[in-house]
C-alpha cells in the first residue's frame, strides 16, 4: 500500500525519473508535392514488456533487447498465455508447481532470475513438499503472476506500480527477503484466484515465513542507503498480504473476539509510515522518491493541510466533537477525520481508489489505541473508510479479502449496542459493504 512521503516540497525533493526513454516524434513531409508511400513492414506484438509500456519498437533480441540494454531497464518477454493485467490468473491450476518450466510456459528472463535466487540461497527453495523441479516451477509461476497481474491492479498508484515492475525487480535480484516477499504475493494471488492446490498453499506459507524472518533481520540492522529500497519495497507488499487472508468471516473480527492479535493486520499498515519517518533524507535518493513525492504533493492539495472546520465531513466532525479549536494534540479523532473527509468526496476512479487506500497507513497511535478498546466513535470513522473502499473495490480487489467483512463486523457490533447517537452513522458503511441493518 502507498503512504505519502514526508519529503519537503522544496527543490531537493524534485527527483528526475530513473532511466527515461525519449519518445521521438516523426514528421512526414512532402517533397516537391510528391507523395511517398510508406514502406511495408511487419508489426510485432511479441516485444518485451518494457518496450510495450513505453510504446516503442522492440527488436526482440533475447535475452535482452537493445533498448533495455541501452537504458538499463529489466527486459522481460511475456509468455503467449500471459499479458492480462487483470486480477484473474489464466494459467491451468493443475499445472502450477508440477512441471519444470520450459521456454513455452515461462520467459527465459524470469527463469534466470529465479535460478539466481535459488543458487544464492544454496538451493533452499526446494522445500519438503516437493523436489527442486516443483519448487522451481511454482517460484517462476509466482514471479510471473506478480509481474503480469498483482503489480498491475493491487499495489498503489500507477507510478508505484511502474517502479515495482522495473527498478524494484533489480533490487529483489540481490535482496532475498524482497524476492521472497514478491514470491509470497504471487502465490497468494494464484491461490485466491485458483484455489485448491495444496502444494501452492504450502508454497505461499513457505515464501511468507521466509520473507518475514529475513525482513525482521534486515530491519534490525537499521535503515541505510543500501537497504532503504528493499525495506520500503517489502513493507508495501507485506501490508497487502495481511489484507488478503486465505479465508475470513465477520465473526473472526477483533471487534467480536476481543483478541489483540486479531487486530495485527491493522497495526501492520502503519509500518510503512514509521519506516519512511525513520529513513528521513535517505528517501531523496531512493527508487521510491519520485512516486512518493508525487503522492505527497497530490495529497497536500487534496487535504490542504491547513484544513478548516467547514472542510471536515460535517457529521463525523460533530460526532467526534471537532471544532475550530481542535487539533491532533487535543482530539484523538482529529487526524483520522481530517484525512478521511476529502476522500469521501472524490469521484470513483482507479487513481482515487489507490489514494484512498493510503488512509489506513497514516493513523496515529492514539486513534489505533481507541480502536483496540472498541471505542464507538473510532469504529464509526473506520467503518466509513471501509465503506468507501467497498465502493471502490472494482479498482482495489484486495478489499474483498478482509476489509468488506471487517466493515460488516463493525456494523453488526455497533448495531447490537443500540446506541441512538451511533445508529444514524451506520447507514453509509452498511449499505456500502452489503450489510442489512435490522432496525
Amino acid at each position: 500500500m502507498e503512504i505519502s512521503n514526508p519529503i519537503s516540497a522544496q527543490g531537493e525533493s524534485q527527483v528526475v525519473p530513473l532511466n527515461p526513454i525519449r519518445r521521438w516524434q516523426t514528421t512526414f513531409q512532402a517533397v516537391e508535392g510528391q507523395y511517398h508511400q510508406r514502406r511495408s513492414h511487419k508489426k510485432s506484438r511479441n516485444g518485451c514488456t518494457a518496450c510495450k509500456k513505453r510504446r516503442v519498437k522492440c527488436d526482440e533480441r533475447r535475452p535482452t533487447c537493445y533498448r533495455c540494454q541501452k537504458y538499463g531497464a529489466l527486459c522481460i518477454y511475456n509468455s503467449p498465455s500471459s499479458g492480462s493485467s487483470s486480477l484473474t490468473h489464466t494459467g491451468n491450476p493443475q499445472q502450477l508447481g508440477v512441471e519444470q518450466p520450459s521456454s513455452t510456459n515461462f520467459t527465459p528472463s524470469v527463469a534466470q532470475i529465479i535460478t539466481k535466487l535459488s543458487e544464492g540461497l544454496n538451493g533452499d527453495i526446494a522445500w519438503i513438499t516437493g523436489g527442486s523441479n516443483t519448487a522451481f516451477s511454482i517460484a517462476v509461476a509466482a514471479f510471473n503472476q506478480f509481474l503480469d497481474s498483482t503489480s498491475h491492479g493491487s499495489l498503489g498508484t500507477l507510478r508505484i506500480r511502474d517502479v515495482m515492475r522495473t527498478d524494484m525487480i533489480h533490487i529483489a535480484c540481490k535482496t532475498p527477503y524482497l524476492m521472497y516477499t514478491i514470491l509470497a504475493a504471487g502465490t497468494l494471488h494464484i491461490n485466491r484466484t485458483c484455489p485448491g492446490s495444496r502444494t501452492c498453499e504450502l508454497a505461499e506459507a513457505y515464501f511468507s515465513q521466509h520473507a518475514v524472518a529475513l525482513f525482521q533481520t534486515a530491519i534490525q540492522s537499521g535503515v541505510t542507503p543500501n537497504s532503504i529500497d528493499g525495506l520500503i519495497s517489502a513493507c508495501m507488499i507485506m501490508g497487502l498480504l495481511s489484507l488478503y487472508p486465505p479465508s475470513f468471516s465477520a465473526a473472526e473480527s477483533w471487534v467480536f473476539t476481543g483478541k489483540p492479535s486479531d487486530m495485527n493486520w491493522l497495526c501492520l499498515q502503519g509500518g510503512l509510515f514509521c519506516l519512511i519517518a525513520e529513513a528521513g533524507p535517505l528517501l531523496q535518493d531512493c527508487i521510491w522518491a519520485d512516486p512518493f513525492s508525487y503522492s505527497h504533493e497530490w495529497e497536500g492539495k487534496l487535504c490542504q493541510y491547513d484544513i478548516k472546520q467547514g472542510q471536515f465531513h460535517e457529521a463525523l466532525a460533530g460526532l467526534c466533537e471537532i471544532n475550530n479549536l481542535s487539533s491532533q494534540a487535543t482530539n484523538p479523532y482529529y487526524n483520522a477525520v481530517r484525512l478521511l473527509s476529502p476522500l469521501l468526496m472524490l469521484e470513483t476512479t482507479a487513481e482515487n481508489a489507490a489514494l484512498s487506500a493510503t488512509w489506513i497507513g497514516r493513523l496515529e497511535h492514539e486513534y489505533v489505541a481507541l480502536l483496540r478498546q472498541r471505542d464507538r466513535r473510532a469504529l464509526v470513522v473506520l467503518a466509513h473508510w471501509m465503506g468507501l473502499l467497498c465502493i471502490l473495490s472494482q479498482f482495489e480487489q484486495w478489499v474483498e479479502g478482509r476489509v468488506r467483512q471487517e466493515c460488516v463486523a463493525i456494523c453488526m457490533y455497533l448495531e447490537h449496542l443500540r446506541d441512538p447517537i451511533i445508529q444514524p452513522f451506520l447507514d453509509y458503511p452498511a449499505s456500502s459493504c452489503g450489510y442489512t441493518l435490522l432496525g
Side-chain angles (χ1 to χ4, degrees), residues 154-402:
S154 305
L155 298 164
T157 63
L158 291 176
R159 298 193 182 198
I160 288 286
R161 297 169 195 172
D162 283 344
V163 174
M164 282 193 167
R165 294 193 297 272
T166 53
D167 299 295
M168 190 187 80
I169 302 302
H170 287 286
I171 302 299
C173 289
K174 55 185 178 182
T175 311
Y177 68 80
L178 177 55
M179 181 59 79
Y180 269 128
T181 305
I182 291 173
L183 297 181
T187 49
L188 177 148
H189 198 156
I190 292 173
N191 288 331
R192 302 304 181 272
T193 53
C194 294
S197 172
R198 177 61 175 167
T199 304
C200 284
E201 292 173 357
L202 291 172
E204 178 188 337
Y206 175 87
F207 290 141
S208 298
Q209 290 172 3
H210 277 65
V212 172
L214 293 174
F215 179 81
Q216 289 177 340
T217 301
I219 200 71
Q220 290 173 359
S221 300
V223 181
T224 66
N226 293 330
S227 66
I228 183 64
D229 291 331
L231 291 175
I232 288 182
S233 301
C235 189
M236 283 194 292
I237 302 174
M238 286 180 180
L240 175 68
L241 299 183
S242 67
L243 292 172
Y244 219 144
S247 61
F248 183 79
S249 65
E252 300 174 82
S253 173
W254 95 95
V255 297
F256 290 129
T257 67
K259 297 179 181 179
S261 59
D262 290 340
M263 194 180 166
N264 286 347
W265 68 271
L266 192 150
C267 300
L268 183 61
Q269 306 309 311
L272 182 58
F273 184 78
C274 297
L275 185 58
I276 288 175
E278 180 70 18
L282 294 179
L283 287 171
Q284 297 179 10
D285 298 319
C286 175
I287 61 174
W288 300 107
D290 179 57
F292 281 6
S293 180
Y294 166 77
S295 176
H296 181 63
E297 179 183 356
W298 194 96
E299 289 179 355
K301 294 178 181 179
L302 173 67
C303 298
Q304 300 178 28
Y305 288 104
D306 58 344
I307 191 169
K308 299 177 182 179
Q309 179 189 9
Q311 295 170 303
F312 277 84
H313 185 283
E314 184 176 357
L316 291 179
L319 175 68
C320 298
E321 301 180 358
I322 297 174
N323 54 45
N324 291 328
L325 301 179
S326 298
S327 67
Q328 181 57 37
T330 61
N331 189 311
Y333 310 98
Y334 181 86
N335 199 50
V337 177
R338 178 178 73 90
L339 295 174
L340 179 60
S341 294
L343 298 177
L344 292 170
M345 297 181 288
L346 293 178
E347 297 180 0
T348 303
T349 66
E351 188 74 2
N352 289 339
L355 291 166
S356 298
T358 68
W359 178 85
I360 197 172
R362 303 175 63 192
L363 303 180
E364 303 288 343
H365 295 301
E366 294 80 5
Y367 175 77
V368 174
L370 291 173
L371 289 175
R372 196 177 295 279
Q373 299 166 15
R374 291 179 286 191
D375 176 87
R376 300 181 184 186
R377 290 183 287 186
L379 289 175
V380 166
V381 176
L382 178 61
H384 272 67
W385 174 78
M386 290 179 170
L388 172 64
L389 265 292
C390 288
I391 294 175
L392 298 170
S393 61
Q394 58 180 306
F395 306 110
E396 302 289 335
Q397 296 187 26
W398 53 265
V399 170
E400 307 301 339
R402 177 188 290 272

Side-chain angles (χ1 to χ4, degrees), residues 81-125:
S81 62
S82 66
S84 172
S85 61
S86 66
L87 279 177
T88 302
H89 182 76
T90 57
N92 184 347
Q94 300 300 323
Q95 293 180 352
L96 291 177
V98 176
E99 299 178 357
Q100 175 72 15
S102 65
S103 59
T104 59
N105 293 329
F106 303 99
T107 71
S109 299
V110 173
Q112 290 169 4
I113 290 173
I114 301 297
T115 299
K116 187 178 299 184
L117 171 70
S118 180
E119 293 172 350
L121 297 178
N122 297 320
D124 189 40
I125 199 172

